Amino acid sequence: MLGNAFGWPHLLIILVVVVLLFGAPKLPGLARSLGQSMRIFRNEVKTMKDENSSPSDSTASDSSAQAAPVADQTPSVVSPESKPKP
């Protein structure tokens, strides 16, 4: 599909423009961050596929076990602004 739109001369021009815009020293960092982003995206897609393929019927004990960690994450310290004034 892109074979008709882009040829080698077009890709070389795009590469030269990218090098001029970002500079040669920044390109390895740009490639590294792009690779990390792609890895995170693939892991999330795989996780979503695994969740969708697992059976969706859960029991009440499973839902209570999942709800317990959420309750533990609430802050136990009350900020001074939220205390009622006497």
Side-chain angles (χ1 to χ4, degrees):
M1 180 162 56
L2 292 177
N4 296 335
F6 295 111
W8 285 106
H10 295 106
L11 293 176
L12 286 175
I13 291 171
I14 292 172
L15 181 65
V16 168
V17 169
V18 167
V19 169
L20 289 175
L21 286 176
F22 293 106
K26 292 185 181 181
L27 287 179
L30 181 67
R32 187 178 308 116
S33 65
L34 181 65
Q36 288 175 349
S37 299
M38 289 299 295
R39 189 177 308 119
I40 290 170
F41 179 75
R42 287 179 185 163
N43 287 338
E44 291 297 323
V45 168
K46 182 180 177 185
T47 303
M48 289 176 64
K49 285 182 181 179
D50 291 344
E51 287 176 357
N52 288 339
S53 66
S54 66
S56 61
D57 49 337
S58 61
T59 61
S61 63
D62 290 341
S63 62
S64 64
Q66 292 175 354
V70 175
D72 293 339
Q73 294 177 357
T74 57
S76 60
V77 178
V78 178
S79 63
E81 297 92 25
S82 64
K83 289 184 181 178
K85 295 182 181 180

